[in-house]
Amino acid sequence: MQPARLLIVDDDAALKGFYRDALVAGGAHELVFEPNAAGALERLGGDDFDAAIAALHPPGLDGMSLLEKLREAKSSMPVILVTANPTVETATAGLRLGAADYLAKPFDPDVLAASVERVLAQRRIVAERELLRRQIERPYSFDDIIGTCPAMKRVYETIERVADSNVDVLVVGETGTGKELVARSIHRRSQRADKPFVPVDCGAIPENLLESEFFGHERGAFTGADSRSIGLLEFADGGTFFLDELGELPMLLQAKLLRTLQERKIRRVGGRSEIDVDLRVVAATGRNLEAMITAGHFRQDLYYRINVVRIDLPPLRERGDDLGLLAEYFATRYSREMNRELVGITPEAYQVLSQYHWPGNVRELQNIIRRALALTTDTMIGLDDLPDSLVVQAGERAANGAKGYFEYRDQYMAHFERQYLTDLLARHRGDVKGAAEESRLPRGTLYRLMKNHGLDGANFRA
């Protein structure tokens, strides 16, 4: 364990030697003593510490108030409370305020040292998780969108260029590619960020309710209209109106929406006056609108009006290494949410993920990783944690003479075994006994694997 800097806030000078004996033996840690709360807080203003040990009754401030001040000054720094008069009430109060541990004086040096080592280990785990989160999220993300492939970089560039303007945007991509994430990113980076973002799924609202939902209605406009209702377009005034699945919009409503986009005015169902609306429209579709125009199912003038800037989202199967980034991101994210210890994804499982076609794109990957985390009993997501249908479909992708999943698996495992054994024997200079102990394999099994791969310990002794 690396040496740590510890702040000791205790006015009992006689205990300095005790603290040093317990915590500095062998150069384990560096201790900084402060006899009162004011000095401790001043010290924290210009110094960094890995942990603090605070007496419950230092001069100038009661222990609980000191704990609160310490936590405010350095929220990530663990604090161990010590007291000569322990009670259940003070222990409970201290732990509720965020104390990492609670010790009663006089305490055994080993107990104090173990407590310090434990809170420092916990702090390192938190720091490592934060570092992993930054590594996964920051270098490879754009707002909430993960990816580094060239197609996604073009998406980011377009968002940055158009976000601060007021032009309407059309986002095109298969289901699950993240069209709403793009819309939200545009809104977040625009001057309308503090105004409403109103998402509407055109395919989820019954056709007979769409007009009222979009434009609102006056009282008595139709049966059941007992009071005036503000529509979604009016609610989005000043902000961004996100039209998801634009291709599902019926022709009659397409005409009314076109007029709204041209005039920036709406009229409630049953209303007589027009209402000005200031909004930006971002629309998304997974359908081929050009083909729909040719077939007479989508208005060409609406298409041209809303397609001022077009953003094309690539399907996951065309994003190369982004698959691995996304899989690791979701695994880390959901393991935190589920409070699970997860190391990662096994090579075999990742091989299957990379061979799959991903018709549901990123959303499908997200759900599969979440499912795998819920089912796995290991610290690695493996083949047994993936849906059988996914494994089978990945294995069936042997078109044009390509190898199937099982051939790839056998080939990968053979390569892994040979490389592992070669490195292992090289480290031990051909000593099979030492290699067997490190690999935790029976010596007979190790000899058999070496024979399978044509490896001889004598060749590594030089």
Side-chain angles (χ1 to χ4, degrees):
M1 181 172 290
Q2 292 295 319
R5 297 193 75 229
L6 305 178
L7 176 63
I8 314 293
V9 189
D10 198 327
D11 63 328
D12 190 345
L15 285 178
K16 282 189 176 181
F18 174 83
Y19 283 119
R20 289 195 179 98
D21 290 343
L23 301 174
V24 187
H29 301 300
E30 176 189 349
L31 305 187
V32 176
F33 292 92
E34 285 292 343
N36 56 61
L41 295 173
E42 183 179 353
R43 176 83 69 166
L44 279 178
D47 234 338
D48 283 325
F49 294 91
D50 296 293
I53 300 172
L56 264 180
H57 302 288
L61 200 65
D62 71 88
M64 292 303 170
S65 298
L66 173 60
L67 174 59
E68 287 188 274
K69 295 290 186 183
L70 291 174
R71 297 288 294 163
E72 287 175 9
K74 300 284 183 180
S75 61
S76 63
M77 181 182 69
V79 179
I80 299 172
L81 287 181
V82 296
T83 180
N85 302 299
T87 65
V88 173
E89 290 76 14
T90 56
T92 303
L95 295 175
R96 281 179 177 171
L97 289 173
D101 206 350
Y102 181 90
L103 301 178
K105 296 180 180 178
F107 33 68
D108 187 282
D110 292 337
V111 172
L112 176 63
S115 177
V116 169
E117 300 305 315
R118 181 178 59 79
V119 298
L120 290 175
Q122 289 176 341
R123 188 170 192 257
R124 274 196 301 276
I125 290 171
V126 171
E128 288 168 1
R129 286 179 176 173
E130 178 63 18
L131 176 61
L132 178 60
R133 183 189 67 78
R134 292 200 305 268
Q135 288 174 334
I136 290 176
E137 293 177 2
R138 289 183 180 174
Y140 313 120
S141 67
F142 184 92
D143 293 338
D144 295 324
I145 312 169
I146 308 295
T148 60
C149 70
M152 291 307 298
K153 288 181 179 178
R154 289 193 293 271
V155 170
Y156 305 155
E157 291 169 2
T158 305
I159 292 174
E160 285 189 318
R161 290 166 63 184
V162 307
D164 210 31
S165 68
N166 274 318
V167 298
D168 297 330
V169 179
L170 177 64
V171 185
V172 179
E174 295 179 8
T175 181
T177 49
K179 297 186 287 295
E180 184 169 342
L181 289 179
V182 170
R184 289 185 181 275
S185 180
I186 292 171
H187 174 73
R188 189 179 300 129
R189 291 168 174 266
S190 74
Q191 297 177 1
R192 301 173 180 269
D194 58 342
K195 300 297 182 181
F197 176 87
V198 181
V200 182
D201 187 344
C202 299
I205 303 174
E207 185 173 338
N208 62 322
L209 298 179
L210 272 172
E211 186 176 9
S212 174
E213 288 289 322
F214 272 46
F215 298 95
H217 61 259
E218 298 289 349
R219 179 179 180 182
F222 50 83
T223 303
D226 300 326
S227 61
R228 171 186 290 176
S229 176
I230 294 177
L232 295 171
L233 283 162
E234 191 174 347
F235 183 73
D237 186 32
T240 302
F241 188 65
F242 175 54
L243 272 169
D244 198 10
E245 299 303 335
L246 178 67
E248 304 297 328
L249 211 57
M251 292 293 286
L252 181 62
L253 202 58
Q254 289 180 31
K256 289 200 69 172
L257 180 62
L258 174 63
R259 187 174 184 279
T260 297
L261 297 181
Q262 290 173 334
E263 307 293 335
R264 287 322 198 235
K265 297 178 184 292
I266 64 167
R267 180 181 293 167
R268 298 191 188 114
V269 177
R272 297 181 180 180
S273 60
E274 291 188 324
I275 302 168
D276 291 329
V277 288
D278 171 26
L279 50 80
R280 179 189 205 167
V281 175
V282 178
T285 183
R287 303 183 65 177
N288 187 333
L289 295 184
E290 292 91 341
M292 292 181 67
I293 292 170
T294 302
H297 300 311
F298 198 85
R299 292 182 64 105
Q300 187 176 48
D301 46 5
L302 176 59
Y303 174 73
Y304 289 136
R305 181 64 187 81
I306 212 165
N307 188 25
V308 180
V309 173
R310 174 170 171 149
I311 297 177
D312 288 280
L313 285 176
L316 181 57
R317 60 185 170 275
E318 296 177 6
R319 290 178 55 179
D321 293 340
D322 281 1
L323 173 66
L325 285 176
L326 286 159
E328 293 292 341
Y329 169 78
F330 290 136
T332 302
R333 171 182 168 184
Y334 294 127
S335 63
R336 288 201 306 263
E337 290 181 5
M338 297 179 186
N339 197 26
R340 298 287 302 272
E341 291 293 334
L342 184 76
V343 176
I345 302 170
T346 66
E348 298 91 340
Y350 181 74
Q351 184 69 28
V352 169
L353 295 179
S354 64
Q355 290 294 315
Y356 186 55
H357 190 62
W358 297 109
N361 292 289
V362 179
R363 186 185 298 123
E364 185 180 10
L365 173 63
Q366 184 177 2
N367 291 333
I368 282 175
I369 295 297
R370 185 189 284 130
R371 172 191 184 275
L373 271 169
L375 293 177
T376 189
T377 57
D378 202 349
T379 56
M380 299 278 284
I381 293 176
L383 282 181
D384 293 341
D385 306 314
L386 301 179
D388 292 340
S389 57
L390 186 149
V391 176
V392 170
Q393 287 183 42
E396 288 175 348
R397 294 195 65 197
N400 300 321
K403 294 179 181 178
Y405 157 69
F406 295 103
E407 289 88 350
Y408 275 116
R409 184 191 66 177
D410 293 342
Q411 178 181 329
Y412 181 90
M413 289 302 296
H415 175 76
F416 164 76
E417 281 185 0
R418 181 175 180 81
Q419 188 63 50
Y420 177 81
L421 294 171
T422 300
D423 294 343
L424 181 69
L425 291 167
R427 283 197 301 274
H428 290 273
R429 297 188 176 185
D431 178 12
V432 176
K433 180 181 178 182
E437 290 175 353
E438 179 187 332
S439 61
R440 300 180 186 177
L441 288 172
R443 204 180 306 181
T445 301
L446 183 56
Y447 273 120
R448 177 177 56 80
L449 291 172
M450 290 168 58
K451 182 178 179 181
N452 289 345
H453 293 282
L455 299 175
D456 187 345
N459 295 332
F460 295 88
R461 290 177 189 136

